[in-house]
Amino acid sequence: MGDLCDREKNTNVRISLPAVCFVWQIAMIILFGVFIRYNEESSPFWIEHRKANNISSDIENDFYFRYPSFQDVHVMIFVGFGFLMTFLKRYSFGGVGFNFLIAAFGLQWALLMQGWFHSLDYSDGKIKIGVENLINADFCVAGCLIAYGAVLGKVSPVQLMVLTLFGITLFAVEEYIILNLIHARDAGGSMVIHTFGGYYGLSISWMLYRPNLSQSNRLQGSVYHSDVFAMIGTLFLWMFWPSFNSAITDHGDGQHRAAINTYLALASTVLTTVAISSLFQKHGKLDMVHIQNSTLAGGVAVGTAAEFMLMPYGSLIVGFCCGIISTLGYIYITPFMEKHLKIQDTCGIHNLHAMPGVIGGVVGAITAAAASEAVYGHEGLINTFDFEDAFKNMTPTRQGGHQAAGLCVAICFGVGGGIIVGCILRLPIWGDPADDNCFDDEPYWELPDDEESIPPVLQYNNHMRNKDV
Amino acid sequence: MGDLCDREKNTNVRISLPAVCFVWQIAMIILFGVFIRYNEESSPFWIEHRKANNISSDIENDFYFRYPSFQDVHVMIFVGFGFLMTFLKRYSFGGVGFNFLIAAFGLQWALLMQGWFHSLDYSDGKIKIGVENLINADFCVAGCLIAYGAVLGKVSPVQLMVLTLFGITLFAVEEYIILNLIHARDAGGSMVIHTFGGYYGLSISWMLYRPNLSQSNRLQGSVYHSDVFAMIGTLFLWMFWPSFNSAITDHGDGQHRAAINTYLALASTVLTTVAISSLFQKHGKLDMVHIQNSTLAGGVAVGTAAEFMLMPYGSLIVGFCCGIISTLGYIYITPFMEKHLKIQDTCGIHNLHAMPGVIGGVVGAITAAAASEAVYGHEGLINTFDFEDAFKNMTPTRQGGHQAAGLCVAICFGVGGGIIVGCILRLPIWGDPADDNCFDDEPYWELPDDEESIPPVLQYNNHMRNKDV
Amino acid sequence: MGDLCDREKNTNVRISLPAVCFVWQIAMIILFGVFIRYNEESSPFWIEHRKANNISSDIENDFYFRYPSFQDVHVMIFVGFGFLMTFLKRYSFGGVGFNFLIAAFGLQWALLMQGWFHSLDYSDGKIKIGVENLINADFCVAGCLIAYGAVLGKVSPVQLMVLTLFGITLFAVEEYIILNLIHARDAGGSMVIHTFGGYYGLSISWMLYRPNLSQSNRLQGSVYHSDVFAMIGTLFLWMFWPSFNSAITDHGDGQHRAAINTYLALASTVLTTVAISSLFQKHGKLDMVHIQNSTLAGGVAVGTAAEFMLMPYGSLIVGFCCGIISTLGYIYITPFMEKHLKIQDTCGIHNLHAMPGVIGGVVGAITAAAASEAVYGHEGLINTFDFEDAFKNMTPTRQGGHQAAGLCVAICFGVGGGIIVGCILRLPIWGDPADDNCFDDEPYWELPDDEESIPPVLQYNNHMRNKDV
């Protein structure tokens, strides 16, 4: 196979990949040195201060409210997204390995970008970090990993690093506009993470369209065990999604309610995904692509509204619809987009993130607009929607409008940013693979001498030859 | 292989599976709309009320006591049970996929059924749910997943949905009788979950006996990598079992003690399982079936007594015995049951759940009967056994009797319910596979074109042919 | 293959393995019966006492401070270490299975050994255990699992049990000397766990040197899917390392800070590992061995200093250096050690644990020596370094010296203990495999009839023959 790899393009990243990794990591160290410090809850310096403020018990430290959720989110980012992308027969190393690389880089850059917008201490110009910043950094990374799903198997690791650098930057700006300027609420990131990440990835994939790819798609499929590996990713995403949507919601009832709503929406999605998958296949057989992906759509779509009073049956309805829409998307929309819109979407992120994300934004806007003191209580309404300070005069109806505005911003940033970054990634300097080498780990990974990958008769001959020796 | 699949029976579930999924999910939405609401700790409406009641801190919300345990239990249900059932060489999709489907349905139905019995607010006729309800729903589902283990590979997904619907219903009734009417304690569900689930599954398998199955058991075994997949399930069950047994015990020392006891019992089981497995095989080789399953028996058997003062050495003794009994069960009892009792038990749930569950019930009864104020303290005894209200006059000795009565109820419900549901599942309308198609994903799943599954010489020819094209 | 297995050595452990398991487990039961009891926080007996001491809320129970971290550590021990060792093509059962066995035994013995040194209640001569003891037992086991990495595939399960028995014993003594007598701090165990475990394993491997092993190393490599399995181990270790380093640090800011530092160090390590891996391979291809192992080195190296004020940029620098050193170790030092020092290190624990552990000890000493009240605050300094009671007059500079002394003790115990235990393991009674059988599950496991493992042409013939029957 070695002779194939240089047929058209040079995929050697021996200079560019180490260069990018070293330069960016050194930049991170310098910027962290200048800007990042521990916050009050992670520094011993403030013990006397905490005592003076009557925070008498360590258990009130934000660490204990958020760390279990953080760890669940962390698992989703690295095992969830990583293993979900191992489904291709010869791109499992790239799926889980490059996911690991860009997430590890992205979270550092996200701590800085989000820190400047949200955690800057103006008294000394430092960003003060704690566990909530770690969660937000992981969230920020999720947007880029979603985008990776669209271009899986078709880009080089250097391109992925560039995609991530710009993706994190755009994310932080977009998030600041949506959450702080527009004052939309988006606990689980239906808009901020999934809509943005989805359209960002699809636009990049559109810019990197490969017209002849389908002719060499010998490797664009799964094998039995790679599908089982992908189920590891699916299940860890599915199980820990309640933690994702509740990780940064209000302490107490806010986190509690967000977890319940997400749990229910996801359960409902599984049933309609199975139903549609079976109904639209000949002989009623289930398709692993749907089970691996569409079962998660409910978690995406309930992201914005999870902390609101969506009610348990509301969560079930959202999950019900998203299972149907997402599965139909895999059956009809993905082939349509590839054929007519020139968008090649390897993992089908349009069906799993972009569409459900938009639905989530709309559900959030409606749920917010329908809020009332009768349901939330007086203080509950203020707490849940953060109607304080500059937003004292907000009403639920207006909040609904703001939510809708936030959704539009997310879409614009995704599409616009993706087109710009896509242009950058088309430069012929990044070591991306030729069509023949797509979906193949061979260009970027030392592969073990797997006997399985050799044609069997040759394999047998090899076997005999080894014995003779 | 396609021609085999319709040889005797029609396994096409294209109408029945979507119909069942849609109808039941819509029913769930309606019932949730009528009955299910957030409880005080997951609703913002009660903020003022909580403040007035001096619950000043959000950290006292039950969410923070139980959510980490809930997430561990959730992992056990979906990854633990799911991957434990991937060990068959060509039924990994069905193992993890159908587990996913029936768990997602079951937990919704369980929230309703258990809610009516335990969480109904009589003031407005609504079920008020919080994180403890989610844990209990997962527990309830576990009973059905255990039953699935007995019939793994021999039933259709529609049959599994029926098995689950009735299983959850029976579970909720049985649980209400054991815990509320009989006032037995069963924190980790040795009786309520494992004994019931085990006998329920075995009875169903008995009703669905396939006399000629062993002649076509070409697929009833593992391959190397499917055994490694199954170890993922084993380990997540093993590691998180302390959370399972402590998830709904008393706050504070109750949860603490249940986790310690389970941790110790499981450690002890591993050693005796290895010892027996090696001792009873020629050449002293270990059998993966034992390592995957019997190592968990200690967790089952310590379920009831985990919250009592079983003492650390007591936990070790329970684990010690169960490792021996469970492994011997795989070696002697499973073949005996198949040959003489006409019970085909694919995963050996008799050895992993039914027998250890009964042992757990007995251990619980003895430990309860032996309780005294000298060991528990005055308040400790009342708290641990809930000797309050209508049960003010209970004594430890009587409690031991009640525990034993609870065990009998669990067995009766399991056997009786299993026979009735087995009759229903024998109706020729469910699309179950022919003997030839058992343990094969082919009837219900679109399978990838795995080169491995084609005879190698043909494979080589195919390979050459592809190259010519 | 069966005929190979007895060619030179008898690997039958049918008597010795069950004997060791039974005898040691029975010894554990007796010793637990004599010595181990629940502590105040896991026993109901102390309810009144707790109330009297104004510990009014159950949430202050140490269980809620530590249990989520404990579960993460538990996952690292069983899934993390276990699956990291599944990378060999035919030793996955042994990797994950023997890891399971020795961890389950080791944690029991560790509870006793550490209990005698740290948790003995002198009033009644009993060891009182709670969740912190469980974490420490898991830590103690980690040292032995690290050592297992060096001898993976070359020893019998009986030898591993012996390795573990002595390893735990040495660990507990060494830990007592370093933490209590020398008063060094070592929250994440860079010295106590990784340095000790690394040199212990390397010394044993040196004593068990097999000069002709490289000639029969047909099996000393991975296949595609075994590398993906190993990534499960890598990622769970990587994700949960912040919990490992923070699990037993001070409540509140201590745990918070340790988690942040570890999170950052690990992220930084990933980038430099990728850079070096790509830079030193022809064609710039990444090597899975580096990605699986060196990405974790930052977590090891930040272990001691994680609870100090290492500062976020300090953590990044530590991770940066360790990624480079560890990866270069795999490329240059491991082959050198095998060729010139006669140390065969299957998993490369020298690069992942020994060297980064020593770096961690040095970083800890420097960070401690540089501590000041200006950074930590007055109370913060005392709390963080535990300058109380007998150590009231300690200064940061002296503490730095004590840290360095602790590191030396860890190395001495590792090397010395390893040589002694290595001598014991050379006795010809343990059923270890011949060179031909190394890295092969065949001697100790019943293997499934994997068609893959049969030469393909024979496979095809078998297939036909089965059809004729």
Side-chain angles (χ1 to χ4, degrees), chain B residues 275-289:
Chain B
I276 298 292
S277 182
S278 175
L279 194 61
F280 282 78
Q281 306 282 330
K282 51 180 180 180
H283 305 302
K285 294 185 182 188
L286 298 171
D287 190 324
M288 259 293 173
V289 172

Side-chain angles (χ1 to χ4, degrees), chain B residues 214-409:
Chain B
S214 54
Q215 291 163 26
S216 62
N217 65 358
R218 180 180 54 91
L219 293 173
Q220 196 178 0
S222 61
V223 289
Y224 195 70
H225 279 166
S226 71
D227 268 329
V228 182
F229 278 120
M231 279 304 289
I232 298 174
T234 300
L235 288 176
F236 275 103
L237 287 170
W238 195 91
M239 297 180 304
F240 289 164
W241 216 293
S243 301
F244 191 93
N245 285 349
S246 69
I248 55 164
T249 51
D250 289 337
H251 289 177
D253 65 89
Q255 284 192 277
H256 205 148
R257 189 167 57 256
I260 293 172
N261 285 332
T262 312
Y263 173 89
L264 292 172
L266 285 163
S268 177
T269 309
V270 175
L271 270 86
T272 50
T273 299
V274 167
I276 298 292
S277 182
S278 175
L279 194 61
F280 282 78
Q281 306 282 330
K282 51 180 180 180
H283 305 302
K285 294 185 182 188
L286 298 171
D287 190 324
M288 259 293 173
V289 172
H290 307 156
I291 307 299
Q292 283 161 11
N293 293 283
S294 297
T295 50
L296 302 166
V300 174
V302 89
T304 302
E307 63 177 334
F308 304 157
M309 291 293 277
L310 181 58
M311 307 312 286
Y313 65 89
S315 306
L316 291 184
I317 293 171
V318 172
F320 187 92
C321 299
C322 281
I324 296 173
I325 292 167
S326 176
T327 313
L328 289 177
Y330 277 96
I331 299 171
Y332 295 115
I333 302 178
T334 300
F336 176 87
M337 291 204 315
E338 174 149 7
K339 205 167 166 192
H340 298 290
L341 304 183
K342 298 185 190 301
I343 299 175
Q344 292 157 328
D345 180 5
T346 312
C347 294
I349 63 165
H350 185 255
N351 314 307
L352 172 48
H353 297 284
M355 277 198 304
V358 171
I359 293 170
V362 173
V363 170
I366 294 169
T367 320
S372 69
E373 287 198 8
V375 175
Y376 289 74
H378 177 68
E379 258 192 76
L381 192 68
I382 292 171
N383 273 14
T384 305
F385 292 99
D386 205 12
F387 288 163
E388 282 174 334
D389 304 330
F391 297 91
K392 252 181 184 158
N393 300 319
M394 282 287 271
T395 61
T397 326
R398 265 191 68 193
Q399 179 69 28
H402 286 224
Q403 296 288 133
L407 180 59
C408 298
V409 172

Side-chain angles (χ1 to χ4, degrees), chain C residues 44-272:
Chain C
F45 190 77
W46 302 93
I47 294 179
E48 287 97 342
H49 180 256
R50 282 197 294 271
K51 281 189 184 161
N53 279 276
N54 251 334
I55 304 173
S56 53
S57 170
D58 283 325
I59 197 82
E60 302 273 350
N61 193 307
D62 199 38
F63 184 79
Y64 301 103
F65 285 95
R66 307 231 180 260
Y67 191 70
S69 305
F70 160 67
Q71 274 298 2
D72 292 350
V73 172
H74 217 40
V75 171
M76 293 174 72
I77 298 297
F78 290 89
V79 163
F81 282 102
F83 271 84
L84 191 60
M85 292 196 272
T86 59
F87 73 99
L88 289 166
K89 67 178 78 165
R90 291 303 278 183
Y91 205 73
S92 301
F93 287 10
V96 70
F98 293 150
N99 181 82
F100 192 18
L101 170 64
I102 63 179
F105 164 66
L107 61 87
Q108 298 177 52
W109 181 226
L111 279 173
L112 282 162
M113 282 300 303
Q114 294 184 315
W116 282 315
F117 283 119
H118 298 286
S119 306
L120 201 60
D121 180 343
Y122 291 100
S123 71
D124 60 359
K126 305 293 186 195
I127 299 164
K128 302 289 171 67
I129 63 170
V131 66
E132 195 169 335
N133 298 71
L134 307 191
I135 297 172
N136 274 310
D138 273 19
F139 278 4
C140 194
V141 163
C144 294
L145 301 182
I146 290 166
Y148 179 29
V151 297
L152 182 74
K154 299 174 295 191
V155 292
S156 76
V158 184
Q159 283 178 307
L160 287 173
M161 294 291 282
V162 174
L163 178 154
T164 305
L165 180 75
F166 287 103
I168 300 287
T169 313
L170 288 162
F171 183 102
V173 176
E174 163 235 32
E175 186 193 42
Y176 178 71
I177 295 173
I178 294 175
L179 302 189
N180 293 53
L181 302 187
I182 297 182
H183 193 262
R185 303 281 292 170
D186 196 11
S190 294
M191 304 181 286
V192 169
I193 300 169
H194 298 285
T195 304
F196 165 75
Y199 286 106
Y200 181 61
L202 291 168
S203 305
I204 291 174
S205 193
W206 182 60
M207 295 301 293
L208 300 179
Y209 180 65
R210 292 166 177 265
N212 305 313
L213 187 63
S214 54
Q215 291 164 26
S216 61
N217 65 357
R218 181 180 53 92
L219 292 173
Q220 195 177 2
S222 61
V223 289
Y224 195 70
H225 279 165
S226 72
D227 269 328
V228 182
F229 277 120
M231 280 303 290
I232 297 174
T234 300
L235 288 175
F236 274 103
L237 287 171
W238 195 91
M239 296 180 304
F240 288 163
W241 216 293
S243 301
F244 191 92
N245 285 348
S246 70
I248 55 163
T249 52
D250 290 338
H251 289 177
D253 65 89
Q255 284 193 276
H256 205 148
R257 189 167 58 257
I260 294 172
N261 285 331
T262 312
Y263 173 89
L264 292 172
L266 285 162
S268 177
T269 309
V270 175
L271 270 86
T272 51

